[in-house]
Amino acid sequence: MSVPREKYLSSVWADGIFTNKVLFCTGGAGTICSMQVRAFVALGGNACIIGRNVEKTEKGAEDIATVRPGSKVIGIGGVDVREPKALQSAADRCAKELGGVDFAIAGAAGNFLAPISQLSANAFKTVMDIDALGSYNTAKAVLPYLVESAQKHKNTGSAQPTGTGGRLMFISATFHYKGQPLQAHVAAAKAAVDQISHSIAIEYGPYGVTSNIITPGPIANTEGVERLSKTDPESMKASMKRIPLGRYGEVKEIADATVYLFSEAGSYVNGNTLVVDGGQWRTAGASESAAWQYPDFLMSGAAVEGVKSGRRSKL
Ligand code: HXC
């Protein structure tokens, strides 16, 4: 399926910034990660995408490779991130066939809606294993390659002739920030993912490697939104009201954030979380009551009674 470039990448990035660089991405055939990889490949890089389903992963790789003639995108299927040996073999194969691993995204995740009363110990463990342990296994498999890359492409704060390298990224969620029912397993797992990234930032920063997190909010037309929310127009309208920017995000906006963190522009960002959610999680405390409903009350022009400091300005 050919995807127009403006659907996965803004026009602000310079072509060729990832030339001769290699990205290793778990969950790379998924709706969000495939666009992150697509953007990287469009800007000159090559990639290996890793997944459990062989056909989906191989087809996904073929599809991503169409964005740039001459690109190399390998789909390594049959790999479960819960198996460290399988992941290590995938990372070794990627490095052998493409010449190294300069960037990695731990994107594979498992999710379903369930209250604790219906969540068996095994169900909880399954998501912990895929999200938290799987992210840790991914990091362990690629870190030696990322250290090698960081040594070749020094992070000095000035432009390097060979560009950037040695960058790791995790994909998280906002459930553990804002409080979310039916997501005890995922909130716990993503909290662990966040801390894994922070610890890597501390322990591998001295080798020149950066580790950061992208936390997507609701992104339109993704598996996450389809699995986790109701997609009828009324429910979507209500859900968008809780997002200060009033809309769902686009996959392109996650890809752009990825390019920023991997590019020279993101060189001094380490141990950080970039939440790309239109401000959604910040409204967890917004009022649901009819009189104070967010954002209607703010936009109505009504003044709040009892404020002592003066009149309401126009905006
Ligand atoms: C309650 C459930 C369940 C459900 C499975 N289980 N689904 N419990 N409600 N809906 C329980 C099972 O009964 C079993 O426990 C245990 O979980 C393991 O289930 P399996 O099916 O054997 O596990 P497995 O085949 O490994 O599948 C893993 C999975 C599955 C997570 C359950 O959904 C999966 O493979 N998902 C991968 C794709 C995915 O989830 N993508 C979503 C990404 S979106 P018992 O006790 O019966 O043995 C995303 C959004 C982020 O992450 C949000 C950003 C905003």
Side-chain angles (χ1 to χ4, degrees):
M1 180 194 56
S2 140
V3 182
R5 186 168 163 132
E6 64 271 17
K7 292 276 178 207
Y8 61 85
L9 198 58
S10 294
S11 58
V12 299
W13 308 109
D15 270 322
I17 53 174
F18 297 127
T19 296
N20 295 327
K21 300 291 167 53
V22 176
L23 168 63
F24 181 90
C25 180
T26 64
T31 41
I32 288 185
C33 291
S34 66
M35 293 301 167
Q36 294 176 285
V37 179
R38 206 175 275 270
F40 182 86
V41 172
L43 295 174
N46 295 317
C48 290
I49 64 168
I50 316 304
R52 267 199 289 174
N53 182 311
V54 176
E55 200 192 340
K56 184 179 171 192
T57 308
E58 289 178 356
K59 280 221 163 98
E62 269 172 40
D63 191 37
I64 293 168
T66 61
V67 305
R68 186 174 56 77
S71 67
K72 290 181 203 154
V73 183
I74 303 174
I76 309 180
V79 177
D80 191 320
V81 292
R82 291 169 282 192
E83 292 165 17
K85 278 191 187 147
L87 258 179
Q88 191 61 63
S89 303
D92 294 345
R93 179 179 160 200
C94 182
K96 196 167 169 213
E97 293 190 23
L98 297 182
V101 176
D102 303 285
F103 300 87
I105 300 174
N111 201 346
F112 50 81
L113 293 172
I116 292 171
S117 58
Q118 289 172 254
L119 195 63
S120 69
N122 189 42
F124 183 87
K125 180 178 180 300
T126 299
V127 170
M128 287 298 285
D129 282 352
I130 297 172
D131 291 20
L133 202 58
S135 294
Y136 186 73
N137 292 338
T138 303
K140 289 282 279 184
V142 297
L143 272 166
Y145 294 112
L146 295 181
V147 168
E148 218 174 281
S149 175
Q151 276 162 4
K152 276 194 236 158
H153 314 290
K154 296 278 185 210
N155 185 337
T156 62
S158 340
Q160 296 296 301
T162 58
T164 57
R167 303 216 176 156
L168 179 57
M169 176 181 295
F170 295 85
I171 305 299
S172 193
T174 57
F175 309 139
H176 54 300
Y177 306 173
K178 61 184 183 183
Q180 182 109 354
L182 315 186
Q183 290 286 274
H185 45 327
V186 183
K190 293 298 193 184
V193 168
D194 288 2
Q195 191 51 51
I196 291 166
S197 176
H198 304 332
S199 295
I200 291 170
I202 299 167
E203 294 194 14
Y204 285 83
Y207 297 98
V209 171
T210 65
S211 181
N212 291 293
I213 301 158
I214 285 186
T215 297
I219 305 298
N221 306 312
T222 57
E223 195 185 343
V225 158
E226 265 148 40
R227 266 175 186 255
L228 305 179
S229 53
K230 299 212 182 300
T231 49
D232 60 281
E234 271 310 296
S235 306
M236 281 177 66
K237 200 174 154 205
S239 148
M240 283 179 200
K241 280 184 79 168
R242 304 303 299 255
I243 304 170
L245 292 182
R247 64 175 175 86
Y248 283 1
E250 301 292 326
V251 281
K252 174 180 88 96
E253 293 172 304
I254 305 299
D256 278 334
T258 307
V259 173
Y260 159 64
L261 288 172
F262 283 173
S263 73
E264 189 194 324
S267 291
Y268 204 51
V269 184
N270 187 29
N272 224 315
T273 304
L274 184 48
V275 183
V276 186
D277 75 339
Q280 186 208 37
W281 83 268
R282 299 280 182 192
T283 66
S287 175
E288 293 277 359
S289 79
W292 293 86
Q293 204 168 76
Y294 180 85
D296 308 10
F297 178 79
L298 279 174
M299 308 294 282
S300 71
V304 175
E305 281 170 30
V307 176
K308 289 187 182 155
S309 57
R311 289 206 190 97
R312 191 187 196 287
S313 60
K314 261 195 167 169
L315 273 178

